Amino acid sequence: MSGQNSDYCDYRSPFATRYASKEMRFNFSDQKKFTTWRKLWIYLAKAEMSLGLSISQDQISEMEQHVNDIDFDAAAKEEKATRHDVMAHVHVFSSQCPKAAPIVHLGATSCYVGDNTDLIVLRDGFDILLPKLAAVIQRLAKFADDNRSIPALGYTHLQPAQLTTVGKRATLWLQDLLMDERAIRRARGDLKFRGVKGTTGTQASFLQLFNGDSQKVKKLDELVTNMAGFEKKYSVTGQTYSRKVDIECLNVLASLGATAHKICSDIRLLASMKEIEEPFESTQIGSSAMPYKRNPMRSERCCSIARFLMNLNSNGLQTAGNQWMERTLDDSANRRLTLPLAYLSADNVLMTLQNIAEGLIVYPKVIERRMAQELPFMAAENFIMAMVKAGGDRQECHEKIRVLAQQAGAQVKQYGKDNDLVERIRNDQYFQPILGQLDSLLDPSTFVGRAPEQVSEFLEEEVYPVLKNYENVKVAPVELNI
């Protein structure tokens, strides 16, 4: 260790140092977790006091004074001795609040603070992600609108196909993002509070505290749920809330990962064709060996983290499937890893997507050149119809075009030359009747169908109504750390 900087001798998560936002990192921080535990103990004491238990306002005030000043070193020592994280913090909190010590955690089990805090953190995580997702949708909507009429080759099987427009392709990305927004908003809305359920979910300890008064126990559950900012609670639980809740959260985030992966894969392919390029800073280096390169590193990173995110939901499935009876503890370590990583990954994916969308560059001349190589083949049917209208025979014209197209194709594939089908048609006397129409028959804008109108209609009917829900949310432009 001699001569080494000790700050860099421990493993540090890339999400803490490179990828995730400050607000999402705080959401999964120890400070947020354990201050939430203390708030939950205060909610419980307040509700118990209001329902007649012998708890004083002085005790509650004392707890409220010590919500944030957590002695993490003392808690670590206690946990090392007790091998129990909740009791370690009960002891530390109680030592800070001697008056309140007898009523801290009164009637509760560990999952009262553990599971309820998890639900708060999951909810708050969605609240961080949704405005960022809306920002990505807003930026891509502008891109789609700005480029709604620029013709471009469509690709099926990654082979040139009928023309689309640059903006129309972006609406396909937007459509998937809208589905993600709906799914995440729905998952957020479906979250309920575990509430006050006791050791195995029967509320037996609270029933004893209230001398068998079932209605007071029910009211206690409702009061604490409302204090925690939830409208609904799970009516039944074991010791924990059902781990299928985690599955629902992980699934919508994994689905977002799939969307991001598809969008950034498309951008990477288009960058390879030099049709579209992600932002590239003036001092950015694309390659240590090849100075001219402009690698799509943002899209590559987004794909990389999205792929990681897409695979995390299998942990939730395994954990839920392996919960025995009212609960087993083999869920704990896995959830400590999986749930934060899913949200932190989604956070980075959205920040990266926003950064990309804010600086996407389109190269129309490159697109035009690529179209020029393929459009004559696609216009063959137009040439045939024009000849028929001019009095020609369809079958004869078809055969003429077929022969010329094969000759032009050979020029492209065998000799690497440009597509010269149009020149071959111009030089063939057979096509004399339509020579004056060739330019109009090859106008790319006549090959895109209703794509420009589809973009405008889609934005008006589906995108802008969703964005209206976020019009009061301000999201600053994203600058990626590294």
Side-chain angles (χ1 to χ4, degrees):
M1 296 287 290
S2 177
Q4 295 180 3
N5 188 332
S6 60
D7 291 342
Y8 294 89
C9 291
D10 284 334
Y11 171 78
R12 295 187 297 171
S13 168
F15 287 106
T17 59
R18 295 172 71 94
Y19 298 143
S21 67
K22 184 177 181 180
E23 63 265 28
M24 190 62 83
R25 295 198 310 269
F26 176 76
N27 191 50
F28 287 95
S29 69
D30 283 349
Q31 185 69 32
K32 167 79 175 273
K33 176 179 179 178
F34 295 120
T35 55
T36 303
W37 283 15
R38 292 187 173 192
K39 289 175 184 177
L40 286 165
W41 284 322
I42 293 169
Y43 300 155
L44 182 61
K46 283 182 173 180
E48 289 173 335
M49 182 180 72
S50 72
L51 291 169
L53 292 190
S54 182
I55 295 172
S56 69
Q57 183 59 49
D58 278 351
Q59 290 173 307
I60 290 171
S61 297
E62 184 182 52
M63 287 193 288
E64 289 176 333
Q65 291 168 11
H66 294 283
V67 169
N68 295 310
D69 57 338
I70 299 169
D71 189 337
F72 288 100
D73 290 338
K77 289 179 183 177
E78 285 281 347
E79 186 172 353
K80 187 174 182 180
T82 62
R83 296 293 178 183
H84 199 289
D85 56 348
V86 174
M87 288 312 299
H89 280 268
V90 168
H91 292 163
V92 171
F93 195 32
S94 296
S95 69
Q96 291 177 294
C97 308
K99 293 179 187 175
I103 55 94
V104 172
H105 199 65
L106 184 60
T109 187
S110 299
C111 286
Y112 167 69
V113 287
D115 271 32
N116 283 325
T117 294
D118 286 346
L119 290 163
I120 289 170
V121 169
L122 296 179
R123 177 197 64 189
D124 292 353
F126 281 144
D127 287 343
I128 293 170
L129 293 176
L130 281 167
K132 293 185 178 186
L133 177 52
V136 174
I137 293 171
Q138 190 273 331
R139 270 61 165 187
L140 279 179
K142 184 179 186 307
F143 177 82
D145 192 37
D146 290 346
N147 297 282
R148 65 185 181 278
S149 298
I150 296 181
L153 280 176
Y155 293 91
T156 59
H157 314 277
L158 201 54
Q159 302 300 312
Q162 192 175 65
L163 299 193
T164 182
T165 70
V166 173
K168 172 62 192 301
R169 179 177 285 125
T171 64
L172 303 183
W173 303 338
L174 280 164
Q175 183 168 243
D176 289 354
L177 289 168
L178 289 181
M179 294 174 70
D180 292 318
E181 189 278 338
R182 181 188 66 195
I184 292 173
R185 182 163 37 86
R186 181 184 296 158
R188 194 261 186 230
D190 285 347
L191 282 174
K192 299 178 184 178
F193 202 53
R194 178 193 177 272
V196 181
K197 297 296 193 296
T199 305
T200 58
T202 65
Q203 300 178 307
S205 58
F206 296 103
L207 197 63
Q208 186 175 358
L209 277 176
F210 288 100
N211 299 316
D213 190 331
S214 180
Q215 289 306 307
K216 282 192 174 181
V217 175
K218 186 176 179 181
K219 185 65 175 177
L220 177 72
D221 206 357
E222 293 173 358
L223 287 172
V224 174
T225 296
N226 293 334
M227 288 180 196
F230 282 81
E231 295 180 5
K232 298 178 181 178
K233 61 187 181 304
Y234 296 107
S235 298
V236 294
T237 71
Q239 190 171 88
T240 68
Y241 67 78
S242 170
R243 296 310 184 215
K244 282 185 71 68
V245 174
D246 295 344
I247 293 175
E248 292 185 348
C249 294
L250 291 168
N251 278 349
V252 296
L253 297 180
S255 184
L256 171 65
T259 298
H261 201 290
K262 188 269 191 291
I263 293 172
C264 288
S265 294
D266 283 357
I267 291 172
R268 291 165 66 190
L269 291 168
L270 292 166
S272 174
M273 301 170 189
K274 296 181 172 57
E275 293 189 13
I276 286 181
E277 193 170 74
E278 66 176 36
F280 197 91
E281 296 164 24
S282 59
T283 58
Q284 185 173 328
I285 296 174
S287 168
S288 61
M290 295 168 280
Y292 59 87
K293 293 194 75 178
R294 295 170 69 94
N295 300 332
M297 54 81 64
R298 290 166 170 82
S299 297
E300 290 173 319
R301 174 190 292 179
C302 198
C303 285
S304 184
I305 293 179
R307 190 161 62 246
F308 176 74
L309 173 57
M310 289 158 62
N311 283 286
L312 286 174
N313 66 340
S314 63
N315 285 295
L317 294 166
Q318 292 286 345
T319 296
N322 280 288
Q323 281 295 284
W324 301 348
M325 308 300 182
E326 279 63 48
R327 82 96 36 111
T328 67
L329 197 59
D330 64 341
D331 64 337
S332 179
N334 191 290
R335 294 176 71 251
R336 285 175 192 259
L337 295 167
T338 300
L339 294 174
L341 287 174
Y343 279 81
L344 291 162
S345 301
D347 185 58
N348 178 265
V349 160
L350 289 174
M351 289 193 301
T352 308
L353 271 181
Q354 182 184 333
N355 180 264
I356 292 170
E358 286 169 347
L360 273 180
I361 304 166
V362 179
Y363 293 107
K365 294 299 182 183
V366 176
I367 294 172
E368 288 174 13
R369 187 176 186 282
R370 293 186 64 81
M371 283 191 298
Q373 292 295 310
E374 303 294 338
L375 199 56
F377 294 139
M378 297 179 191
E381 186 68 16
N382 288 8
F383 298 151
I384 294 172
M385 291 301 100
M387 280 296 297
V388 169
K389 288 180 181 179
D393 178 273
R394 186 197 181 282
Q395 304 311 319
E396 183 181 6
C397 182
H398 182 280
E399 179 60 19
K400 287 272 190 183
I401 292 284
R402 186 187 70 81
V403 172
L404 295 180
Q406 287 187 354
Q407 292 171 353
Q411 291 291 304
V412 173
K413 294 178 180 178
Q414 295 179 23
Y415 304 109
K417 296 184 178 181
D418 289 340
N419 186 339
D420 63 356
L421 176 58
V422 175
E423 285 306 308
R424 290 176 182 274
I425 290 174
R426 288 187 193 279
N427 294 329
D428 192 316
Q429 281 297 113
Y430 177 79
F431 293 99
Q432 186 68 34
I434 65 167
L435 292 184
Q437 304 176 47
L438 288 184
D439 288 342
S440 62
L441 292 174
L442 287 165
D443 180 359
S445 65
T446 65
F447 288 79
V448 299
R450 294 191 65 252
E453 292 90 344
Q454 285 181 333
V455 173
S456 298
E457 292 164 4
F458 175 71
L459 294 177
E460 289 293 334
E461 295 169 10
E462 300 194 40
V463 177
Y464 297 150
V466 170
L467 291 178
K468 212 169 176 54
N469 298 323
Y470 300 91
E471 59 187 359
N472 294 324
V473 178
K474 303 300 180 187
V475 179
V478 169
E479 291 186 13
L480 299 180
N481 292 332
I482 299 177

